[in-house]
Amino acid sequence: MLRSLIQCGVLAGALVLGACELEVINPNDPETERVLANPTDVEGLAATTYLRWHSAMYGSINSVWGMASSMSFENSASNANEGIGVRGGLPRGANDNTIGHVYSSNHRRVYYIAHESARTTSLVLKALDQPGFSIGPIGTTARNNRARAFAEFVRGLSLGYVALTHDSGAVVTPALDTKDPGELVSYKELMTAALDALQLAIDAANAPATGPDGFPIPTLWLPTPTATSKDDFVRLVRSYRARLRAGVARTPTERAAVDWNAVIADAQNGITADHINVTTTTNGPFNAWARQFMSFGGWHQMTPFVIGMADVSGSYASWIAAPLDARGGVGTTPLIVTPDLRFPQGATRTEQQNDLKIPCAVLPCKRYFRNRPDGEDTYAGPSWSWSNYDHIRNYDWGLTKGQRGNFPFFTLAELDMLQAEGHIRRGNFSAAAALINKTRTKNGLPAITAFDATSPVPGGANCVPRVPTGSTVACGNMMEAMKYEKRIETAYMHYLAWYVDMRGWGDLVEGTPLDWPVPYEDMLARGRDRAAAQYLIGGLGLGNPHTAAKGTYGW
């Protein structure tokens, strides 16, 4: 059964807030009922839920993000830790939930913690539904509305991120009995419930209210640099709704069927600047994988498959033309020469190394990527996974500041590209181009001026991106320009960034799993026999469900 874990639980008759995580607390326990009858404690419990949800994706490297980054070519790694090397291999293997499989703890993290935060927020909402229940003076509604809006927001995020990650999950609502784990439903049905919860969050935030102490959302609840106003909270909810609505698609057919009018509307009314969380190394929030990738070496380099699309020298084209097992090798990985200023500049490796050294003289570093010093090359595994490039955009936060301070968990550029994709799919190419050009032009790439679906991006022989078309490369169209900008701007910034988009776009390698199975422990607890509880997803030639077909680039 899914059970509620109350972060830092009930101690000595009061709810104590902090970073600790206590043992599972049975929601049917009388002590839990006592807390849910106390308005102040209910509000305090609601305040803990965002950080707990956040920890599912970002609190530990013991999650599926590392695997997903390898499967989408966002990252390349030679070690086996957390599945990042194994899951990035070619041909692709399956994601499995078999008893005793080596990465079972990675597969469980988001599923259990996100369901837990959905359960906890449902308990808060159930308490708020009690007749006459009032946080603060009787007859006021402002604090009730704030708590309700925040709880529905976190419940929506919780269900939504299970739907992004797994093939199925349980819809947890305030109406669900605490002894009922909820029926397993498909990711589509689960996402519908998540989007409904986010609408309820918006409705509660905008509901008429009396009395003081409503919005803003305190930084103890939502760890932004300053307290979050009602309008900014609604913008944040709508931004996440745009991300989740588009990201749930597993195939190009499903991505095309997304309600893009709704995505556009949410994006246009979403955040107006990067959404920042203030991270700490003690109480959280954390971003464990963003820091771990900067260990470099066996943990991180960037295979040329995607970042090579920035190259205008012909090096990437030659790499694509070669057979897979002949791509790369010590000293022969592609040199990415590009007008894109997010990459190191120069026509030789030495020039690029001299263009940017870490620690950077001026922080944050002026490039998103570096061409690492020769002595730091760590070549292992198949040669197609090698490159000279590391992602260093987060170096200031991760190394210089020791993972403390502001981190943008939702960038405005991502929201712009969600809106741009919607405009492309709706045929409003001029509106899409204006959004794509925002990051293109400030980073040295010429503005798109041909407002259609087929024209190549400008630049001629120096066009970016240059995308694979079989064994050759060619200038991409507007859609490819949007995809390129979104990848470069979201790389290593948030959970499953490239993986979620590339599966919907049809860009993953054939045979790549499109999600993860339900953990076998939950399947067994639901009464499945051992055979039915264990199953595989993906893997080339295995005939399993939710497997990527050969897609856009013929991979």
Side-chain angles (χ1 to χ4, degrees), residues 95-112:
N95 286 339
D96 71 290
N97 72 344
T98 53
I99 295 173
H101 78 94
V102 67
Y103 303 118
S104 60
S105 62
N106 298 80
H107 294 188
R108 289 193 297 261
R109 183 176 183 85
V110 168
Y111 186 88
Y112 280 124

Side-chain angles (χ1 to χ4, degrees), residues 213-225:
D213 301 326
F215 284 87
I217 300 288
T219 57
L220 179 66
W221 298 26
L222 187 63
T224 47

Side-chain angles (χ1 to χ4, degrees), residues 68-109:
S69 68
S70 294
M71 290 193 288
S72 58
F73 296 140
E74 184 178 5
N75 189 60
S76 180
S78 60
N79 66 34
N81 296 344
E82 315 302 335
I84 57 174
V86 174
R87 288 293 186 266
L90 296 174
R92 291 292 195 235
N95 286 339
D96 71 290
N97 72 344
T98 53
I99 295 173
H101 78 94
V102 67
Y103 303 118
S104 60
S105 62
N106 298 80
H107 294 188
R108 289 193 297 261
R109 183 176 183 85

Side-chain angles (χ1 to χ4, degrees), residues 51 114 144 148 227 338 421 437 520:
L51 280 180
N144 275 30
R148 184 180 298 278
T338 179
E421 182 174 356
N437 287 339
Y520 73 84

